[in-house]
Amino acid sequence: GENVEQHPSTLSVQEGDSAVIKCTYSDSASNYFPWYKQELGKRPQLIIDIRSNVGEKKDQRIAVTLNKTAKHFSLHITETQPEDSAVYFCAASWGGTYKYIFGTGTRLKVLA
Amino acid sequence: DTAVSQTPKYLVTQMGNDKSIKCEQNLGHDTMYWYKQDSKKFLKIMFSYNNKELIINETVPNRFSPKSPDKAHLNLHINSLELGDSAVYFCASSQESTLSLFGNEQFFGPGTRLTVL
């Protein structure tokens, strides 16, 4: 069945360093790849997303890259800050199917 | 303005009881979902509804029965609660249809933490 693998499961970085989280999806029909941030005790919230017709998207300190051939996509956070500490989820979806497959989550800790 | 709301926020109950969680969205979306998030934080889809019709049922025990009275509401009723049902349940909505070319952002409710004793 459809699957999204996410690595690493935990990531600790020093404040100001960059963080990279990687996901691999199995279904080549997937064409929408969102990233969600979930702070402790809160709901997941979208931070950035990318569609399959684009290879890279950037929004201030966060960026997402997509390699359709390899079925990989990655989240890049630069100049990390303590408030970036949270659990991050990748997901894969495709239009018209109502299916959303989430990765297993990455707990990011930014050390001050 | 709350986009997706759920009640209650916390639910503590005994094994064997029946309980319900309510969800409402005011975003005008056609599609709503229920997710279960376990203690390891895995987010697993349980059900998705489009315009009050069940679209996806991800091998959830039939003790769980979703009901959508209209496209703005999706409630979840759980019979004969078991210890393993303890989790955070999230409702979500998105603007999705069979004509959607791409997937769309999901908007999550605040979650309901269910504890079964």
Side-chain angles (χ1 to χ4, degrees):
Chain A
E2 303 94 351
N3 187 42
V4 175
E5 292 187 4
Q6 182 172 347
H7 298 281
S9 56
T10 60
L11 179 59
S12 292
V13 298
Q14 291 292 331
E15 184 178 358
D17 287 351
S18 295
V20 180
I21 304 170
K22 299 182 178 183
C23 287
T24 304
Y25 58 98
S26 60
D27 193 323
S28 55
S30 300
N31 62 12
Y32 175 67
F33 307 94
W35 286 89
Y36 288 82
K37 176 183 181 183
Q38 186 178 24
E39 296 177 353
L40 189 62
K42 301 283 179 69
R43 73 190 80 191
Q45 290 193 289
L46 182 80
I47 54 170
I48 195 166
D49 56 9
I50 191 167
R51 292 178 168 180
S52 59
N53 55 358
V54 177
E56 184 173 356
K57 186 175 176 182
K58 193 173 180 182
D59 182 4
Q60 299 183 338
R61 295 187 298 108
I62 58 173
V64 56
T65 57
L66 171 65
N67 181 332
K68 285 190 294 183
T69 306
K71 294 193 265 186
H72 287 166
F73 58 111
S74 300
L75 177 71
H76 304 253
I77 307 174
T78 57
E79 300 170 26
T80 53
Q81 300 166 3
E83 51 266 36
D84 294 330
S85 296
V87 178
Y88 291 81
F89 292 96
C90 64
S93 178
W94 45 113
T97 64
Y98 310 99
K99 268 202 169 180
Y100 236 74
I101 311 296
F102 279 89
T104 48
T106 296
R107 186 178 298 277
L108 173 65
K109 290 184 187 175
V110 180
L111 308 169
Chain B
D1 289 351
T2 304
V4 183
S5 58
Q6 285 178 238
T7 54
K9 192 165 172 61
Y10 299 96
L11 195 47
V12 181
T13 189
Q14 298 287 331
M15 251 188 344
N17 283 351
D18 304 338
K19 289 292 177 188
S20 292
I21 308 172
K22 295 188 175 183
C23 178
E24 177 181 359
Q25 54 96 5
N26 63 6
L27 296 166
H29 289 163
D30 291 335
T31 305
M32 296 184 72
Y33 309 80
W34 277 110
Y35 286 89
K36 180 180 181 181
Q37 187 171 45
D38 61 22
S39 57
K40 293 185 179 177
K41 299 294 187 186
F42 296 151
L43 260 175
K44 194 155 176 2
I45 192 166
M46 300 172 68
F47 302 102
S48 66
Y49 268 72
N50 177 257
N51 279 318
K52 305 190 298 175
E53 299 287 328
L54 177 66
I55 302 295
I56 290 175
N57 177 341
E58 286 289 322
T59 60
V60 178
N62 57 15
R63 297 183 296 105
F64 290 78
S65 50
K67 280 195 173 52
S68 182
D70 55 62
K71 71 176 194 178
H73 295 84
L74 181 62
N75 304 323
L76 184 65
H77 187 76
I78 316 171
N79 289 328
S80 304
L81 279 155
E82 300 177 356
L83 293 176
D85 298 332
S86 295
V88 179
Y89 291 84
F90 285 100
C91 174
S93 74
S94 71
Q95 190 54 37
E96 201 74 51
S97 78
T98 52
L99 301 177
S100 298
L101 184 57
F102 294 97
N104 290 286
E105 176 182 0
Q106 296 209 345
F107 293 80
F108 284 83
T112 295
R113 182 175 293 278
L114 172 64
T115 304
V116 182
L117 304 174

